[in-house]
Amino acid sequence: MDLSGIVGYVGNRSSQEILIHGLKNLEYRGYDSAGIAVSNEKTIEVRREKGQIQDLEASLQLDPILKGNLGIGHTRWASHGTPSVTNSHPLSDTNGKYFVVHNGIIENYRELRKGLVADGVDFQTDTDTEVIPHLLAKYDTGNFLDTVRQVLPLLKGSFALAIMCSTNPNTIIAISQENPLIVGFGLKEGFLASDISALLPYTKEIYPIKNNEIAMITSERITIETLDGEPIHPKKVLIEWDQEEIDLHEYDYFMLKEIMEQPKTIKKTLEGKIKNSHVRIAELEPLLNQYEFHHFEKIDIVGNGTSYHSGMVGKKVMEQLFRIPVEVHISSEFSNEHGHLSNRNLVIVLSQSGETADSLSALKEAKRNDCVTIAITNKKRSNIARIADYMLLTNAGPELAVAATKAYTSQITSLILLTIFLSQHSDKTNAYDYTELLDALVQLPDVVEQTLIMTQDAIDSFAQVTNDQDHLFLIGRGLDYVLALEGALKLQEVAYLHADAYAAGEVKHGTMALITPGVPVIALATQAHLRGKLVSNIRELKTREAFVVGVTTVGDDAVGEVVDQVLYIPEAHPYLMPIVAAIPLQLLAYYAGTVRGYNVDRPRNLAKSLTVE
Ligand code: F6R
């Protein structure tokens, strides 16, 4: 069961360079181990290494393998079977005829493996993937495509595969079953990748392989067929992202680049959506043509990690505007257990990648129960986008750092746009004048820009709160509590700091026992109407001599008077403060991580696209 990035190339150039370059652009998908298989028409040679792509690259420089014009590659995030050379892909059958790279999960691999072991097959790895090359060898008909056709119906699960065969050295076969895999069209060359970021330098013409399709890639042509052999004319689509968007430019890390991009990405999220004091979302007009808003009795929002936190912000804002209940769920919980669902539930799935298996599963559960579904995603060709009834694109551009930053702020912006859009069409709303909120949205990119400047100026003293600390608390009330959760997640993820978030009023109900002199606490105080109570909570912490750093808006004196240190940020509409105040928390996590010497783009044990549940 592995998550990973897959690449493939066939053409006139040396495949090795293209595979390595592609893998580097997919490294956010997994960086425990990597490997390539290259064919020069006579032989196939494989190199696999534990560690990052640069380790594989170094190994290839030190001890080169053959040069060839066809190859496949893989970068792995191990979920079962340790990260090791042995468990890394490509994997082959005993006689070295079939070579396979795999992303996803073969759910029935145990029984398949049992059958193959009974046949006398000697397994070399702990992976589910290894059953595939052995099955290909077992059911070998002498024809590459036919053999793959024999084996595919035996595999259960969600998977993307790229396969090479020593007797067909000009062809790669690729399958994408609920797992992304994209072919790229070149001039007398063909490409394959899990994500377009690996293809950008080579081609803009792509075709995302769909479920139940097989792609055969040669330098001459790319042929797509259904599993039953029906030819499919692949409708080429143009990649809208540019190479420029995935370059680091002057930054050391994508995380910092993506934090700094937020004024621009929020502007992109808003683009074309606010006109004449109204929100227009063209892609959601069909939803309201089909259902009046009063058709819906409940809104459910689902997501994981940072997307779940954006959903919590969405819930709090929607509850203020709508007169129907809004619930937010962790996707992996919702997909197994939920309350009554029907066609009167509007289910909103939040996923930057559009691939997260937990959210995909939650979406399918919602659809099984007849709910009306909207995907809010950054990837318009992803599975989640495809399966949901309606899609709202966040337009944040490629996010390559593992930690979500611009994805979070673009998701909240989208949720607020959606809230206003729906409330414009509804009588089930509170009398809320959203003119002020709309004006604030228009100003938001500038406010975020200003926040970036103010935080960078103050970061040295702000970051002191994390110096030499292993544990830290974040507290807030209302939307600031959600912000605290997101801030804690960022600090855990990139600075490996044990950060815990609490609703400020809750600390006295138990956690106060952990507050001893000098314990660092970040108190978020961006919600003016809750500040009075928060100040009381800060006083309780100060009585126990905690070291408290406040984050509040310019013009507020109350917080500054009770804390040890204060960071001022610009004031915006209260619903937008989870976006504005996320900036210092993102920068704090970035600085705390880099000061400790960590690669903040590739946090340990993590990967960006989690395509297993
Ligand atoms: C945290 C982070 C993760 C993701 C989560 C969901 O920085 O990046 O918590 O937010 O894995 O991913 P998507 O939004 O792609 O479904």
PDB file of all heavy atoms in Angstrom, residues 17-44:
ATOM      1  N   GLU A  17      17.003  11.257 -17.547  1.00  0.00           N
ATOM      2  CA  GLU A  17      16.970  12.661 -17.116  1.00  0.00           C
ATOM      3  C   GLU A  17      15.514  13.113 -16.937  1.00  0.00           C
ATOM      4  O   GLU A  17      15.172  13.818 -15.983  1.00  0.00           O
ATOM      5  CB  GLU A  17      17.664  13.584 -18.124  1.00  0.00           C
ATOM      6  CG  GLU A  17      19.188  13.535 -18.094  1.00  0.00           C
ATOM      7  CD  GLU A  17      19.774  12.240 -18.639  1.00  0.00           C
ATOM      8  OE1 GLU A  17      19.153  11.651 -19.559  1.00  0.00           O
ATOM      9  OE2 GLU A  17      20.823  11.793 -18.145  1.00  0.00           O
ATOM     10  N   ILE A  18      14.682  12.703 -17.889  1.00  0.00           N
ATOM     11  CA  ILE A  18      13.279  13.139 -17.826  1.00  0.00           C
ATOM     12  C   ILE A  18      12.573  12.512 -16.623  1.00  0.00           C
ATOM     13  O   ILE A  18      11.793  13.171 -15.924  1.00  0.00           O
ATOM     14  CB  ILE A  18      12.569  12.811 -19.167  1.00  0.00           C
ATOM     15  CG1 ILE A  18      13.203  13.669 -20.266  1.00  0.00           C
ATOM     16  CG2 ILE A  18      11.066  13.040 -19.080  1.00  0.00           C
ATOM     17  CD1 ILE A  18      12.755  13.357 -21.650  1.00  0.00           C
ATOM     18  N   LEU A  19      12.886  11.262 -16.365  1.00  0.00           N
ATOM     19  CA  LEU A  19      12.252  10.587 -15.212  1.00  0.00           C
ATOM     20  C   LEU A  19      12.676  11.260 -13.903  1.00  0.00           C
ATOM     21  O   LEU A  19      11.848  11.540 -13.035  1.00  0.00           O
ATOM     22  CB  LEU A  19      12.646   9.103 -15.175  1.00  0.00           C
ATOM     23  CG  LEU A  19      12.181   8.242 -16.352  1.00  0.00           C
ATOM     24  CD1 LEU A  19      12.717   6.819 -16.228  1.00  0.00           C
ATOM     25  CD2 LEU A  19      10.657   8.214 -16.459  1.00  0.00           C
ATOM     26  N   ILE A  20      13.973  11.530 -13.781  1.00  0.00           N
ATOM     27  CA  ILE A  20      14.475  12.142 -12.533  1.00  0.00           C
ATOM     28  C   ILE A  20      13.878  13.539 -12.357  1.00  0.00           C
ATOM     29  O   ILE A  20      13.414  13.907 -11.271  1.00  0.00           O
ATOM     30  CB  ILE A  20      16.028  12.211 -12.529  1.00  0.00           C
ATOM     31  CG1 ILE A  20      16.617  10.808 -12.492  1.00  0.00           C
ATOM     32  CG2 ILE A  20      16.550  13.062 -11.369  1.00  0.00           C
ATOM     33  CD1 ILE A  20      16.406  10.046 -11.193  1.00  0.00           C
ATOM     34  N   HIS A  21      13.848  14.295 -13.439  1.00  0.00           N
ATOM     35  CA  HIS A  21      13.283  15.639 -13.363  1.00  0.00           C
ATOM     36  C   HIS A  21      11.807  15.568 -12.947  1.00  0.00           C
ATOM     37  O   HIS A  21      11.337  16.311 -12.075  1.00  0.00           O
ATOM     38  CB  HIS A  21      13.447  16.333 -14.714  1.00  0.00           C
ATOM     39  CG  HIS A  21      13.042  17.767 -14.656  1.00  0.00           C
ATOM     40  ND1 HIS A  21      11.738  18.169 -14.845  1.00  0.00           N
ATOM     41  CD2 HIS A  21      13.736  18.887 -14.400  1.00  0.00           C
ATOM     42  CE1 HIS A  21      11.657  19.472 -14.708  1.00  0.00           C
ATOM     43  NE2 HIS A  21      12.863  19.938 -14.438  1.00  0.00           N
ATOM     44  N   GLY A  22      11.086  14.646 -13.568  1.00  0.00           N
ATOM     45  CA  GLY A  22       9.659  14.490 -13.250  1.00  0.00           C
ATOM     46  C   GLY A  22       9.471  14.075 -11.800  1.00  0.00           C
ATOM     47  O   GLY A  22       8.602  14.607 -11.097  1.00  0.00           O
ATOM     48  N   LEU A  23      10.301  13.152 -11.333  1.00  0.00           N
ATOM     49  CA  LEU A  23      10.165  12.681  -9.950  1.00  0.00           C
ATOM     50  C   LEU A  23      10.418  13.819  -8.963  1.00  0.00           C
ATOM     51  O   LEU A  23       9.767  13.906  -7.926  1.00  0.00           O
ATOM     52  CB  LEU A  23      11.131  11.522  -9.671  1.00  0.00           C
ATOM     53  CG  LEU A  23      10.765  10.185 -10.334  1.00  0.00           C
ATOM     54  CD1 LEU A  23      11.841   9.139 -10.062  1.00  0.00           C
ATOM     55  CD2 LEU A  23       9.407   9.672  -9.848  1.00  0.00           C
ATOM     56  N   LYS A  24      11.363  14.690  -9.312  1.00  0.00           N
ATOM     57  CA  LYS A  24      11.633  15.822  -8.407  1.00  0.00           C
ATOM     58  C   LYS A  24      10.385  16.695  -8.273  1.00  0.00           C
ATOM     59  O   LYS A  24      10.083  17.195  -7.197  1.00  0.00           O
ATOM     60  CB  LYS A  24      12.791  16.664  -8.941  1.00  0.00           C
ATOM     61  CG  LYS A  24      14.137  16.034  -8.634  1.00  0.00           C
ATOM     62  CD  LYS A  24      15.241  16.959  -9.065  1.00  0.00           C
ATOM     63  CE  LYS A  24      16.591  16.358  -8.736  1.00  0.00           C
ATOM     64  NZ  LYS A  24      17.673  17.039  -9.452  1.00  0.00           N
ATOM     65  N   ASN A  25       9.672  16.855  -9.362  1.00  0.00           N
ATOM     66  CA  ASN A  25       8.451  17.671  -9.309  1.00  0.00           C
ATOM     67  C   ASN A  25       7.293  16.943  -8.625  1.00  0.00           C
ATOM     68  O   ASN A  25       6.272  17.560  -8.317  1.00  0.00           O
ATOM     69  CB  ASN A  25       8.027  18.101 -10.717  1.00  0.00           C
ATOM     70  CG  ASN A  25       8.859  19.274 -11.201  1.00  0.00           C
ATOM     71  OD1 ASN A  25       9.379  20.044 -10.403  1.00  0.00           O
ATOM     72  ND2 ASN A  25       9.018  19.393 -12.501  1.00  0.00           N
ATOM     73  N   LEU A  26       7.448  15.658  -8.438  1.00  0.00           N
ATOM     74  CA  LEU A  26       6.388  14.891  -7.764  1.00  0.00           C
ATOM     75  C   LEU A  26       6.782  14.500  -6.350  1.00  0.00           C
ATOM     76  O   LEU A  26       6.068  13.757  -5.686  1.00  0.00           O
ATOM     77  CB  LEU A  26       6.083  13.604  -8.550  1.00  0.00           C
ATOM     78  CG  LEU A  26       5.503  13.751  -9.942  1.00  0.00           C
ATOM     79  CD1 LEU A  26       5.198  12.378 -10.528  1.00  0.00           C
ATOM     80  CD2 LEU A  26       4.215  14.577  -9.909  1.00  0.00           C
ATOM     81  N   GLU A  27       7.934  15.003  -5.914  1.00  0.00           N
ATOM     82  CA  GLU A  27       8.470  14.520  -4.638  1.00  0.00           C
ATOM     83  C   GLU A  27       7.533  14.810  -3.470  1.00  0.00           C
ATOM     84  O   GLU A  27       7.544  14.097  -2.475  1.00  0.00           O
ATOM     85  CB  GLU A  27       9.851  15.128  -4.392  1.00  0.00           C
ATOM     86  CG  GLU A  27      10.711  14.215  -3.545  1.00  0.00           C
ATOM     87  CD  GLU A  27      12.130  14.703  -3.400  1.00  0.00           C
ATOM     88  OE1 GLU A  27      12.385  15.894  -3.616  1.00  0.00           O
ATOM     89  OE2 GLU A  27      12.984  13.875  -3.069  1.00  0.00           O
ATOM     90  N   TYR A  28       6.692  15.856  -3.611  1.00  0.00           N
ATOM     91  CA  TYR A  28       5.751  16.171  -2.535  1.00  0.00           C
ATOM     92  C   TYR A  28       4.800  15.002  -2.282  1.00  0.00           C
ATOM     93  O   TYR A  28       4.176  14.902  -1.239  1.00  0.00           O
ATOM     94  CB  TYR A  28       4.950  17.438  -2.875  1.00  0.00           C
ATOM     95  CG  TYR A  28       4.005  17.256  -4.042  1.00  0.00           C
ATOM     96  CD1 TYR A  28       2.720  16.769  -3.836  1.00  0.00           C
ATOM     97  CD2 TYR A  28       4.405  17.537  -5.348  1.00  0.00           C
ATOM     98  CE1 TYR A  28       1.862  16.569  -4.894  1.00  0.00           C
ATOM     99  CE2 TYR A  28       3.548  17.339  -6.405  1.00  0.00           C
ATOM    100  CZ  TYR A  28       2.278  16.854  -6.180  1.00  0.00           C
ATOM    101  OH  TYR A  28       1.433  16.640  -7.228  1.00  0.00           O
ATOM    102  N   ARG A  29       4.705  14.068  -3.236  1.00  0.00           N
ATOM    103  CA  ARG A  29       3.781  12.941  -3.087  1.00  0.00           C
ATOM    104  C   ARG A  29       4.374  11.801  -2.267  1.00  0.00           C
ATOM    105  O   ARG A  29       3.682  10.831  -1.944  1.00  0.00           O
ATOM    106  CB  ARG A  29       3.383  12.408  -4.467  1.00  0.00           C
ATOM    107  CG  ARG A  29       2.760  13.452  -5.360  1.00  0.00           C
ATOM    108  CD  ARG A  29       2.477  12.867  -6.714  1.00  0.00           C
ATOM    109  NE  ARG A  29       1.366  11.954  -6.671  1.00  0.00           N
ATOM    110  CZ  ARG A  29       0.106  12.308  -6.832  1.00  0.00           C
ATOM    111  NH1 ARG A  29      -0.205  13.572  -7.057  1.00  0.00           N
ATOM    112  NH2 ARG A  29      -0.851  11.415  -6.779  1.00  0.00           N
ATOM    113  N   GLY A  30       5.678  11.882  -1.995  1.00  0.00           N
ATOM    114  CA  GLY A  30       6.327  10.821  -1.233  1.00  0.00           C
ATOM    115  C   GLY A  30       7.820  10.962  -1.389  1.00  0.00           C
ATOM    116  O   GLY A  30       8.277  11.276  -2.489  1.00  0.00           O
ATOM    117  N   TYR A  31       8.555  10.747  -0.291  1.00  0.00           N
ATOM    118  CA  TYR A  31      10.002  10.947  -0.396  1.00  0.00           C
ATOM    119  C   TYR A  31      10.753  10.014   0.529  1.00  0.00           C
ATOM    120  O   TYR A  31      11.766  10.365   1.105  1.00  0.00           O
ATOM    121  CB  TYR A  31      10.389  12.421  -0.159  1.00  0.00           C
ATOM    122  CG  TYR A  31       9.507  13.143   0.851  1.00  0.00           C
ATOM    123  CD1 TYR A  31       9.806  13.125   2.200  1.00  0.00           C
ATOM    124  CD2 TYR A  31       8.369  13.825   0.425  1.00  0.00           C
ATOM    125  CE1 TYR A  31       9.001  13.771   3.111  1.00  0.00           C
ATOM    126  CE2 TYR A  31       7.551  14.473   1.345  1.00  0.00           C
ATOM    127  CZ  TYR A  31       7.872  14.444   2.687  1.00  0.00           C
ATOM    128  OH  TYR A  31       7.063  15.080   3.595  1.00  0.00           O
ATOM    129  N   ASP A  32      10.195   8.793   0.673  1.00  0.00           N
ATOM    130  CA  ASP A  32      10.863   7.771   1.496  1.00  0.00           C
ATOM    131  C   ASP A  32      11.871   6.986   0.687  1.00  0.00           C
ATOM    132  O   ASP A  32      12.868   6.500   1.196  1.00  0.00           O
ATOM    133  CB  ASP A  32       9.836   6.743   1.991  1.00  0.00           C
ATOM    134  CG  ASP A  32       8.913   7.318   3.026  1.00  0.00           C
ATOM    135  OD1 ASP A  32       9.261   8.361   3.601  1.00  0.00           O
ATOM    136  OD2 ASP A  32       7.853   6.722   3.251  1.00  0.00           O
ATOM    137  N   SER A  33      11.557   6.787  -0.597  1.00  0.00           N
ATOM    138  CA  SER A  33      12.424   6.001  -1.465  1.00  0.00           C
ATOM    139  C   SER A  33      11.980   6.249  -2.909  1.00  0.00           C
ATOM    140  O   SER A  33      10.880   6.757  -3.139  1.00  0.00           O
ATOM    141  CB  SER A  33      12.327   4.510  -1.137  1.00  0.00           C
ATOM    142  OG  SER A  33      10.978   4.102  -1.169  1.00  0.00           O
ATOM    143  N   ALA A  34      12.853   5.892  -3.829  1.00  0.00           N
ATOM    144  CA  ALA A  34      12.530   6.173  -5.239  1.00  0.00           C
ATOM    145  C   ALA A  34      13.254   5.184  -6.125  1.00  0.00           C
ATOM    146  O   ALA A  34      14.242   4.554  -5.709  1.00  0.00           O
ATOM    147  CB  ALA A  34      12.957   7.599  -5.595  1.00  0.00           C
ATOM    148  N   GLY A  35      12.763   5.055  -7.365  1.00  0.00           N
ATOM    149  CA  GLY A  35      13.432   4.148  -8.294  1.00  0.00           C
ATOM    150  C   GLY A  35      13.015   4.401  -9.721  1.00  0.00           C
ATOM    151  O   GLY A  35      11.988   5.040  -9.981  1.00  0.00           O
ATOM    152  N   ILE A  36      13.856   3.926 -10.646  1.00  0.00           N
ATOM    153  CA  ILE A  36      13.496   4.002 -12.068  1.00  0.00           C
ATOM    154  C   ILE A  36      13.841   2.668 -12.741  1.00  0.00           C
ATOM    155  O   ILE A  36      14.710   1.925 -12.267  1.00  0.00           O
ATOM    156  CB  ILE A  36      14.240   5.149 -12.821  1.00  0.00           C
ATOM    157  CG1 ILE A  36      15.765   5.009 -12.696  1.00  0.00           C
ATOM    158  CG2 ILE A  36      13.807   6.511 -12.330  1.00  0.00           C
ATOM    159  CD1 ILE A  36      16.544   5.963 -13.608  1.00  0.00           C
ATOM    160  N   ALA A  37      13.158   2.398 -13.845  1.00  0.00           N
ATOM    161  CA  ALA A  37      13.525   1.281 -14.724  1.00  0.00           C
ATOM    162  C   ALA A  37      13.680   1.888 -16.106  1.00  0.00           C
ATOM    163  O   ALA A  37      12.825   2.664 -16.551  1.00  0.00           O
ATOM    164  CB  ALA A  37      12.430   0.227 -14.730  1.00  0.00           C
ATOM    165  N   VAL A  38      14.783   1.558 -16.772  1.00  0.00           N
ATOM    166  CA  VAL A  38      15.071   2.139 -18.086  1.00  0.00           C
ATOM    167  C   VAL A  38      15.310   1.005 -19.079  1.00  0.00           C
ATOM    168  O   VAL A  38      15.964   0.000 -18.750  1.00  0.00           O
ATOM    169  CB  VAL A  38      16.315   3.064 -17.997  1.00  0.00           C
ATOM    170  CG1 VAL A  38      16.766   3.500 -19.383  1.00  0.00           C
ATOM    171  CG2 VAL A  38      16.003   4.275 -17.124  1.00  0.00           C
ATOM    172  N   SER A  39      14.782   1.178 -20.288  1.00  0.00           N
ATOM    173  CA  SER A  39      14.965   0.143 -21.315  1.00  0.00           C
ATOM    174  C   SER A  39      15.731   0.723 -22.500  1.00  0.00           C
ATOM    175  O   SER A  39      15.452   1.838 -22.945  1.00  0.00           O
ATOM    176  CB  SER A  39      13.591  -0.342 -21.791  1.00  0.00           C
ATOM    177  OG  SER A  39      13.717  -0.985 -23.037  1.00  0.00           O
ATOM    178  N   ASN A  40      16.684  -0.051 -23.003  1.00  0.00           N
ATOM    179  CA  ASN A  40      17.376   0.380 -24.231  1.00  0.00           C
ATOM    180  C   ASN A  40      17.014  -0.562 -25.393  1.00  0.00           C
ATOM    181  O   ASN A  40      17.817  -0.812 -26.269  1.00  0.00           O
ATOM    182  CB  ASN A  40      18.891   0.431 -24.032  1.00  0.00           C
ATOM    183  CG  ASN A  40      19.488  -0.959 -23.883  1.00  0.00           C
ATOM    184  OD1 ASN A  40      18.753  -1.936 -23.753  1.00  0.00           O
ATOM    185  ND2 ASN A  40      20.801  -1.043 -23.918  1.00  0.00           N
ATOM    186  N   GLU A  41      15.816  -1.114 -25.298  1.00  0.00           N
ATOM    187  CA  GLU A  41      15.272  -2.050 -26.293  1.00  0.00           C
ATOM    188  C   GLU A  41      15.787  -3.473 -26.110  1.00  0.00           C
ATOM    189  O   GLU A  41      15.108  -4.416 -26.462  1.00  0.00           O
ATOM    190  CB  GLU A  41      15.538  -1.591 -27.746  1.00  0.00           C
ATOM    191  CG  GLU A  41      15.002  -0.197 -28.001  1.00  0.00           C
ATOM    192  CD  GLU A  41      14.391  -0.030 -29.370  1.00  0.00           C
ATOM    193  OE1 GLU A  41      14.509  -0.951 -30.182  1.00  0.00           O
ATOM    194  OE2 GLU A  41      13.771   1.024 -29.604  1.00  0.00           O
ATOM    195  N   LYS A  42      16.991  -3.628 -25.570  1.00  0.00           N
ATOM    196  CA  LYS A  42      17.502  -5.001 -25.379  1.00  0.00           C
ATOM    197  C   LYS A  42      17.351  -5.423 -23.917  1.00  0.00           C
ATOM    198  O   LYS A  42      16.950  -6.532 -23.623  1.00  0.00           O
ATOM    199  CB  LYS A  42      18.984  -5.067 -25.767  1.00  0.00           C
ATOM    200  CG  LYS A  42      19.210  -4.894 -27.258  1.00  0.00           C
ATOM    201  CD  LYS A  42      20.659  -5.217 -27.621  1.00  0.00           C
ATOM    202  CE  LYS A  42      20.964  -4.826 -29.049  1.00  0.00           C
ATOM    203  NZ  LYS A  42      21.112  -3.367 -29.226  1.00  0.00           N
ATOM    204  N   THR A  43      17.687  -4.502 -23.053  1.00  0.00           N
ATOM    205  CA  THR A  43      17.697  -4.836 -21.619  1.00  0.00           C
ATOM    206  C   THR A  43      16.902  -3.777 -20.839  1.00  0.00           C
ATOM    207  O   THR A  43      16.800  -2.642 -21.276  1.00  0.00           O
ATOM    208  CB  THR A  43      19.150  -4.756 -21.063  1.00  0.00           C
ATOM    209  OG1 THR A  43      20.034  -5.184 -22.067  1.00  0.00           O
ATOM    210  CG2 THR A  43      19.319  -5.564 -19.805  1.00  0.00           C
ATOM    211  N   ILE A  44      16.416  -4.205 -19.693  1.00  0.00           N
ATOM    212  CA  ILE A  44      15.815  -3.238 -18.764  1.00  0.00           C
ATOM    213  C   ILE A  44      16.688  -3.221 -17.513  1.00  0.00           C
ATOM    214  O   ILE A  44      17.022  -4.276 -16.971  1.00  0.00           O
ATOM    215  CB  ILE A  44      14.373  -3.630 -18.395  1.00  0.00           C
ATOM    216  CG1 ILE A  44      13.465  -3.528 -19.633  1.00  0.00           C
ATOM    217  CG2 ILE A  44      13.835  -2.735 -17.266  1.00  0.00           C
ATOM    218  CD1 ILE A  44      12.025  -3.976 -19.410  1.00  0.00           C
TER     219      ILE A  44
END
